[in-house]
Amino acid sequence: MEREMLQCINVSAGYGDRLILQNVNLTVMEGEFVGLIGSNGTGKSTFIKCISGLLPLKSGEITICGKKNSRLKNRERARMVAVVPQSYHVEYDFTVEEIVMMGRNPYLGLGKKESQEDYDIVKHAMKLTNTEIFRGRLYNELSGGERQRVILARAIAQKPEIILLDEPTSALDVHHQIEVMELIADLNEKEHITVVAILHDINMASRFCHRMVLLQNGNVAVDGTPSEVISRKNMESLYNMKLMIRESPMFGKPEIVPIRVMEEKKIRKPCHVHVICGASGAVRILEELDARGYEVTAGVLNQGSEDWAVCQELHLKCVEAAPFTPVTEEKQKENLELMQSADLILVADVPFGISNLMNLKGLETVPGRIYFHKNALSSDYTNGKLVPLLEQLGKVKKITYIGDHDEFLERIKTEQEQ
């Protein structure tokens, strides 16, 4: 039967008259790895302080392993909960082993010497965190990543049932970020330690956490799996910026792709641009056209392609086909119908093969001006059919060839402002 390791009931807390947390309700079960996310000032660190007994509650109750937190003595709480801060500084020259041994303080009485069991526990903690190799070195001489591993070892030496982490990777480079998160995930899985971690990196939280809790305005706004929490609506509300959500092909978890904070300058006379694309060649141009205020449509796109995903995220109308299927005459008919109202047709930086060459059939019947990205000519897998088709089209309609998408944006901006 699963145990409730941590329960918060109507928790409110703050500093002086200012409330930071307001009626927070949250339950963490044994063995969970919970990531706390939220913008600065929303109460994440305050929440950790309340659990660790550093900040008294204004109202509500926190229970740890079934015991009321308000009634726990510091030594008793420290045997159940260990805290790993963002950074830890010491004034004196302690060795790594001495720092890790500090994790045994909750079990040592006044004047009591460390036993062999304490040394064995410390050795095991250093082995788990790969810090045993510099046990005799001075803590203050270590790098940031090494220090964080030592503090994690000290927490493990407490033999806690819960580890609280306050932005454990915020000051580390990407190598040490992954190293520390892998160590924490290993502890959670193999040592069965329940983990609650404040994490600013949403993609890191998504990758490693079983569950995510979004704190906003001092309360729990969303609580669920990474897939349930990391939605475009939730993340744009959190960060107040334009972004995209996609599934990581490596880890099968949702991840955010930041796009922009500052609004793109809107075009004075927006028009309708239809983009013929596929794969991932039009991701940027689709977003920029939309951001500048153009009416944007696209097609024919295979479901699951990156260009298709951007259209879904930006709610752009597009003609779509099943994954890995060729463009049929029926789909191209839909595509041409969508182009009838377009002022401009952009053939983006897309590779052409027999399966999508149909995207170019019938362009002589649409009224919009045609722009063609030159890179598409170097990605010709049509057995020589692409160039003759373009030459035939060029006899009926003018095709303007562009070197890159920036050139296209500058051209249409100039044309629209004339």
Side-chain angles (χ1 to χ4, degrees), residues 180 183 340 354 393:
V180 168
L183 285 171
Q340 289 302 315
I354 299 300
L393 177 60

Side-chain angles (χ1 to χ4, degrees), residues 57 109 115 166 228 286 353 355:
L57 305 184
S115 66
D166 190 353
E228 291 169 335
L286 286 167
S355 64

Side-chain angles (χ1 to χ4, degrees), residues 14 22 87 120 126 139 164 189 229 274 290 340 356 361 386:
Q22 301 182 54
S87 59
D120 290 342
M126 289 192 292
Y139 173 80
L164 306 177
E189 181 181 351
V229 174
H274 183 87
D290 178 67
Q340 289 302 315
N356 69 334
K361 296 291 181 68
L386 176 61

Side-chain angles (χ1 to χ4, degrees), residues 178-210:
I178 297 297
E179 180 181 45
V180 168
M181 290 303 295
E182 286 177 342
L183 285 171
I184 294 166
D186 237 25
L187 292 171
N188 172 249
E189 181 181 351
K190 296 177 181 178
E191 301 293 315
H192 309 294
I193 297 175
T194 303
V195 177
V196 178
I198 295 174
L199 296 167
H200 268 307
D201 189 325
I202 301 298
N203 293 341
M204 197 80 76
S206 175
R207 174 178 169 181
F208 287 100
C209 298
H210 308 148

Side-chain angles (χ1 to χ4, degrees), residues 57 60-62 67-73 77:
L57 305 184
E61 185 64 70
I62 294 175
K67 299 180 180 180
K68 290 187 177 182
N69 196 23
S70 56
R71 297 181 182 176
L72 293 175
K73 294 181 179 179
R77 185 186 297 107

Side-chain angles (χ1 to χ4, degrees), residues 52 74 89 102 169 171 206 224 250 253 306 381:
S52 58
N74 290 338
H89 303 281
M102 291 176 186
T169 62
S206 175
M250 180 70 72
K253 298 287 188 73
E306 291 191 38
Y381 305 99

Side-chain angles (χ1 to χ4, degrees), residues 36-56:
L36 291 180
I37 63 172
S39 55
N40 290 332
T42 198
K44 304 184 300 298
S45 294
T46 299
F47 184 61
I48 294 292
K49 289 177 181 177
C50 290
I51 298 170
S52 58
L54 295 176
L55 183 67

